[in-house]
Amino acid sequence: MSSPIPLSILDLALIGEGESTADALHASVALARKAEELGYERVWYAEHHNMKTIASSATAVLIAHVAANTERIRLGSGGVMLPNHAPLTIAEQFGTLAELHPGRIDLGLGRAPGTDGNTLRALRRDPMSAESFPQDVLELQGYLTGETQIPHVHATPGHGTNVPLYILGSSLFGAQLAAQLGLPYAFASHFAPAALQDAVRVYRERFQPSAQLDEPYVIAGVNVIAADDAETAQRQFAWRRRTFARGIFSRPGQRLSDEQVDALLRSPQAGHVDEMLKHTAIGEPDAVRAYLEEFRTYADADELIVAHQADSVAGRLRSVELLAEAMTLAPR
């Protein structure tokens, strides 16, 4: 029997229909507690802005709250969009988290803004900030290791915490940077699958050992809809497909109606939605396990980070439970 696949969770703190932001944040605590109980490796939260259905914009604040309400599971960002922030600020935030919750904090870093152009301006960021991403990663790393690159500037908290960094990406750029810096690489194949295999190959071929990491380490994103029966799983996938289509085709300030979404999903544009959701495990536990075992080989991944997709908190928690049982995770 093959060894269990390390599994983690990407939690977008989804605000469902008829739910409040507070409901979503309380649900994130419940999900992390369940993940801790069942043996998942970590839970990560993604930075998004100006999205009415996602409550994880203040990533470090959410991590702090969840960490205070759990005991052992690792928590982190998947990721902080570094062009939106000064590296010193992020070092101080995650240094604070590491001091409060030692050995439990991860810092995943992305290069995209995680939002639209108007919101980027509202964040007071220059659209060209992404061009300095490699230098910003090194500056941030220096603050956390205590080897600052800016004379006489130190992160307090942060200095010497050595919070582990992860490079997130969906292209060869992130793969090359992660390899050059000797950092773990997490690929966003749960919504941007096109370059997955090429990026992982480049990362593994070019990896250079570092103080943080001796050998390459790949985390691949995948969607999971595990349910007690196949019919329920397919119904949940249909909901996710419609929700995803509405999210990517609606314009700022203009939410597509149900009729418009249905029309889109009958048009050739549905192919774009289905390609983005290509890596999705759907069904009863045995079917989901078989899919993930094949996907791990396809992605050449050391760990899978799962986005549990369901239209309710109860559905997501049930998916978390069923997947853990199927993959025989060791309870913590």
Side-chain angles (χ1 to χ4, degrees):
M1 181 180 295
S2 60
S3 60
I5 304 171
L7 286 180
S8 298
I9 294 176
L10 177 65
D11 179 9
L12 297 177
L14 293 174
I15 305 171
E17 292 288 340
E19 294 178 351
S20 68
T21 301
D23 292 333
L25 297 174
H26 293 318
S28 287
V29 172
L31 189 149
R33 284 176 169 169
K34 181 62 68 175
E36 180 173 77
E37 171 191 335
L38 295 172
Y40 284 81
E41 296 288 323
R42 66 189 94 236
V43 182
W44 280 359
Y45 306 93
E47 178 188 345
H48 293 281
H49 298 281
N50 196 29
M51 296 186 181
K52 293 182 178 180
T53 59
I54 296 178
S56 55
S57 56
T59 312
V61 179
L62 178 55
I63 293 169
H65 178 64
V66 176
N69 285 277
T70 52
E71 296 180 0
R72 299 172 302 279
I73 194 166
R74 296 193 68 89
L75 301 165
S77 58
V80 162
M81 301 296 105
L82 195 52
N84 295 343
H85 310 277
L88 178 60
T89 299
I90 298 304
E92 291 169 341
Q93 290 177 2
F94 280 78
T96 301
L97 291 169
E99 294 287 2
L100 292 170
H101 308 283
R104 296 182 57 197
I105 303 301
D106 300 328
L107 178 46
L109 301 168
R111 180 171 173 256
T115 190
D116 58 87
N118 284 340
T119 308
L120 188 63
R121 287 189 287 275
L123 289 167
R124 302 296 192 267
R125 304 307 294 169
D126 183 341
M128 298 302 293
S129 296
E131 300 302 316
S132 63
F133 181 67
Q135 293 76 26
D136 288 347
V137 171
L138 289 172
E139 181 183 339
L140 172 58
Q141 186 178 52
Y143 292 133
L144 294 171
T145 62
E147 299 176 1
T148 180
Q149 296 200 345
I150 310 298
H152 313 299
V153 177
H154 302 279
T156 305
H159 177 94
T161 56
N162 293 295
V163 175
L165 303 183
Y166 297 74
I167 299 297
L168 279 55
S170 58
S171 68
L172 299 187
F173 178 89
Q176 293 169 10
L177 179 62
Q180 179 184 347
L181 299 182
L183 297 175
Y185 180 52
F187 193 92
S189 35
H190 61 294
F191 75 92
L196 171 61
Q197 288 185 306
D198 287 341
V200 171
R201 175 183 51 78
V202 166
Y203 169 68
R204 291 194 180 279
E205 289 176 352
R206 302 186 184 183
F207 180 83
Q208 299 176 26
S210 68
Q212 178 178 327
L213 194 64
D214 293 330
E215 298 179 348
Y217 193 84
V218 173
I219 303 175
V222 59
N223 301 294
V224 167
I225 303 173
D228 291 290
D229 58 81
E231 181 181 357
T232 299
Q234 288 296 332
R235 185 172 66 251
Q236 295 285 6
F237 179 65
W239 166 84
R240 177 55 182 155
R241 188 168 175 261
R242 297 181 79 256
T243 302
F244 196 70
R246 175 177 279 122
I248 62 176
F249 289 116
S250 291
R251 297 178 180 178
Q254 181 182 13
R255 184 178 185 271
L256 292 179
S257 67
D258 289 345
E259 293 75 15
Q260 289 171 318
V261 172
D262 289 340
L264 275 169
L265 291 176
R266 291 191 299 267
S267 76
Q269 289 176 298
H272 180 61
V273 175
D274 293 333
E275 175 60 22
M276 293 181 75
L277 295 175
K278 175 181 177 180
H279 296 310
T280 303
I282 310 165
E284 297 176 58
D286 287 347
V288 169
R289 181 183 66 246
Y291 183 97
L292 293 185
E293 289 173 345
E294 290 184 7
F295 175 72
R296 183 193 192 183
T297 300
Y298 173 86
D300 193 15
D302 300 290
E303 178 181 331
L304 301 181
I305 189 161
V306 171
H308 287 279
Q309 306 286 1
D311 63 357
S312 67
V313 175
R316 290 195 293 278
L317 290 174
R318 185 59 178 152
S319 185
V320 168
E321 292 175 340
L322 292 173
L323 180 58
E325 293 170 8
M327 305 301 285
T328 62
L329 297 181
R332 291 174 174 263

